[in-house]
Amino acid sequence: MPLISGDVLLGRLAGYLVVRDGPVNGISDLTTEVLGVPLGATWCTKLVEQYANVIRVPRGTAMLKEMLAEGRIDAMLADAYSLGLAGGVPEGYKAIEVDHFDVHSWLKAEFADIKPQFDRATRAFLAKLGITISCCDKAAPPN
Protein backbone atom coordinates (compact mmCIF):
# COMPACT_ATOMS: atom_id res chain seq x y z
CA MET A 1 0.00 0.00 0.00
CA PRO A 2 1.58 3.34 -0.99
CA LEU A 3 2.07 5.68 1.98
CA ILE A 4 3.36 9.19 2.49
CA SER A 5 4.99 10.50 5.63
CA GLY A 6 3.26 13.21 7.55
CA ASP A 7 5.17 16.17 8.92
CA VAL A 8 4.17 15.52 12.52
CA LEU A 9 6.79 13.99 14.80
CA LEU A 10 5.05 11.39 16.98
CA GLY A 11 8.09 10.27 18.92
CA ARG A 12 11.72 9.31 19.04
CA LEU A 13 12.69 5.71 19.63
CA ALA A 14 15.85 3.80 20.36
CA GLY A 15 16.66 0.67 18.38
CA TYR A 16 18.22 -2.21 20.30
CA LEU A 17 20.27 -5.30 19.53
CA VAL A 18 19.19 -7.98 22.00
CA VAL A 19 21.80 -10.70 22.62
CA ARG A 20 22.80 -13.10 25.35
CA ASP A 21 24.90 -11.61 28.11
CA GLY A 22 28.48 -11.88 26.95
CA PRO A 23 31.11 -10.40 24.65
CA VAL A 24 28.86 -9.00 21.89
CA ASN A 25 28.59 -5.23 22.22
CA GLY A 26 27.21 -4.29 18.80
CA ILE A 27 26.26 -5.56 15.37
CA SER A 28 29.89 -5.41 14.25
CA ASP A 29 30.69 -8.08 16.87
CA LEU A 30 28.30 -10.59 15.27
CA THR A 31 30.03 -13.26 13.18
CA THR A 32 27.94 -16.38 12.57
CA GLU A 33 24.98 -15.60 14.83
CA VAL A 34 21.51 -15.69 13.30
CA LEU A 35 19.98 -12.21 13.66
CA GLY A 36 16.20 -11.81 13.68
CA VAL A 37 14.70 -8.58 12.34
CA PRO A 38 11.03 -7.56 12.27
CA LEU A 39 9.65 -7.96 8.74
CA GLY A 40 8.87 -4.56 7.29
CA ALA A 41 11.00 -2.61 9.77
CA THR A 42 12.93 0.01 7.81
CA TRP A 43 14.92 1.62 10.63
CA CYS A 44 17.35 -1.31 10.73
CA THR A 45 17.90 -1.81 6.98
CA LYS A 46 21.30 -0.09 6.83
CA LEU A 47 22.42 -1.73 10.07
CA VAL A 48 22.07 -5.24 8.64
CA GLU A 49 22.79 -4.74 4.93
CA GLN A 50 26.33 -6.14 5.24
CA TYR A 51 25.42 -8.99 7.60
CA ALA A 52 24.62 -12.33 5.94
CA ASN A 53 22.72 -14.22 8.66
CA VAL A 54 19.52 -12.17 8.84
CA ILE A 55 16.04 -13.65 9.18
CA ARG A 56 13.04 -11.35 8.68
CA VAL A 57 10.25 -12.35 11.05
CA PRO A 58 6.61 -11.55 10.20
CA ARG A 59 5.06 -11.21 13.65
CA GLY A 60 7.41 -8.65 15.13
CA THR A 61 9.09 -8.52 18.50
CA ALA A 62 6.87 -11.05 20.28
CA MET A 63 7.74 -13.69 17.69
CA LEU A 64 11.41 -12.70 17.79
CA LYS A 65 11.42 -13.27 21.56
CA GLU A 66 9.81 -16.69 21.08
CA MET A 67 12.47 -17.58 18.51
CA LEU A 68 15.24 -16.46 20.91
CA ALA A 69 13.79 -18.64 23.67
CA GLU A 70 13.58 -21.62 21.30
CA GLY A 71 17.16 -21.12 20.07
CA ARG A 72 16.03 -20.51 16.47
CA ILE A 73 17.85 -17.14 16.41
CA ASP A 74 20.82 -15.89 18.42
CA ALA A 75 20.06 -12.17 18.46
CA MET A 76 17.32 -9.76 17.45
CA LEU A 77 16.73 -6.11 16.63
CA ALA A 78 13.77 -4.33 18.19
CA ASP A 79 12.68 -0.75 18.76
CA ALA A 80 12.10 0.44 22.33
CA TYR A 81 8.32 0.66 21.97
CA SER A 82 7.89 -2.85 20.54
CA LEU A 83 10.33 -4.33 23.03
CA GLY A 84 8.35 -2.78 25.88
CA LEU A 85 5.05 -4.10 24.50
CA ALA A 86 6.55 -7.58 24.24
CA GLY A 87 7.54 -7.62 27.91
CA GLY A 88 11.05 -6.16 27.75
CA VAL A 89 14.44 -7.78 27.54
CA PRO A 90 14.35 -11.53 28.29
CA GLU A 91 16.25 -12.78 31.33
CA GLY A 92 19.82 -13.70 30.45
CA TYR A 93 19.93 -11.22 27.58
CA LYS A 94 21.07 -7.64 27.25
CA ALA A 95 19.85 -4.80 25.05
CA ILE A 96 22.48 -2.68 23.33
CA GLU A 97 21.35 0.58 21.76
CA VAL A 98 22.42 0.50 18.10
CA ASP A 99 20.25 3.23 16.60
CA HIS A 100 17.68 5.92 17.31
CA PHE A 101 15.10 7.29 14.94
CA ASP A 102 12.11 9.58 14.63
CA VAL A 103 8.58 8.27 14.17
CA HIS A 104 6.30 10.39 12.00
CA SER A 105 2.64 10.16 11.15
CA TRP A 106 1.69 8.30 7.95
CA LEU A 107 -1.13 8.69 5.50
CA LYS A 108 -2.28 6.52 2.60
CA ALA A 109 -0.95 8.09 -0.60
CA GLU A 110 -4.45 8.27 -2.08
CA PHE A 111 -5.23 10.93 0.58
CA ALA A 112 -2.17 13.11 -0.17
CA ASP A 113 -4.39 16.08 -1.04
CA ILE A 114 -5.63 16.30 2.58
CA LYS A 115 -2.16 15.94 4.15
CA PRO A 116 -2.07 19.57 5.42
CA GLN A 117 -5.38 19.08 7.26
CA PHE A 118 -4.24 15.68 8.54
CA ASP A 119 -1.04 17.19 9.94
CA ARG A 120 -2.93 20.09 11.57
CA ALA A 121 -5.42 17.69 13.14
CA THR A 122 -2.66 15.41 14.41
CA ARG A 123 -0.83 18.37 16.00
CA ALA A 124 -4.08 19.56 17.59
CA PHE A 125 -4.82 16.07 18.94
CA LEU A 126 -1.35 15.76 20.48
CA ALA A 127 -1.65 19.25 21.99
CA LYS A 128 -5.08 18.42 23.47
CA LEU A 129 -3.55 15.35 25.09
CA GLY A 130 -0.65 17.46 26.36
CA ILE A 131 1.88 15.32 24.54
CA THR A 132 5.21 16.88 23.76
CA ILE A 133 7.87 14.91 21.96
CA SER A 134 11.29 14.84 23.56
CA CYS A 135 14.40 12.79 22.98
CA CYS A 136 14.37 9.10 23.84
CA ASP A 137 15.20 8.00 27.33
CA LYS A 138 18.62 6.47 26.82
CA ALA A 139 19.07 5.53 30.45
CA ALA A 140 17.86 1.95 30.09
CA PRO A 141 16.05 -0.30 27.63
CA PRO A 142 12.47 -1.31 28.42
CA ASN A 143 12.31 -4.17 30.92
Side-chain angles (χ1 to χ4, degrees):
M1 163 185 338
L3 299 171
I4 58 171
S5 176
D7 293 330
V8 179
L9 178 65
L10 298 177
R12 295 188 169 108
L13 290 176
Y16 292 103
L17 170 65
V18 178
V19 294
R20 282 207 178 277
D21 285 331
V24 173
N25 291 308
I27 293 174
S28 62
D29 293 334
L30 299 177
T31 54
T32 60
E33 293 85 357
V34 177
L35 175 62
V37 177
L39 180 66
T42 57
W43 66 269
C44 53
T45 302
K46 288 190 189 279
L47 294 173
V48 300
E49 68 186 356
Q50 300 299 318
Y51 191 68
N53 296 332
V54 176
I55 293 177
R56 300 195 188 282
V57 177
R59 281 194 12 234
T61 304
M63 183 177 221
L64 286 166
K65 284 182 65 176
E66 289 173 20
M67 292 175 74
L68 270 178
E70 295 167 358
R72 296 170 55 201
I73 60 175
D74 303 304
M76 67 182 222
L77 289 176
D79 66 76
Y81 180 75
S82 300
L83 192 56
L85 284 179
V89 180
E91 190 172 323
Y93 288 81
K94 62 183 176 181
I96 303 158
E97 186 173 335
V98 293
D99 199 6
H100 61 277
F101 51 94
D102 293 339
V103 178
H104 290 269
S105 57
W106 289 91
L107 189 63
K108 287 174 76 174
E110 67 186 86
F111 301 114
D113 58 323
I114 64 165
K115 184 176 163 303
Q117 296 96 320
F118 174 75
D119 287 341
R120 277 195 306 275
T122 304
R123 281 189 196 94
F125 179 71
L126 291 174
K128 187 167 182 84
L129 294 177
I131 296 174
T132 57
I133 307 303
S134 60
C135 188
C136 343
D137 177 11
K138 297 186 185 227
N143 287 319

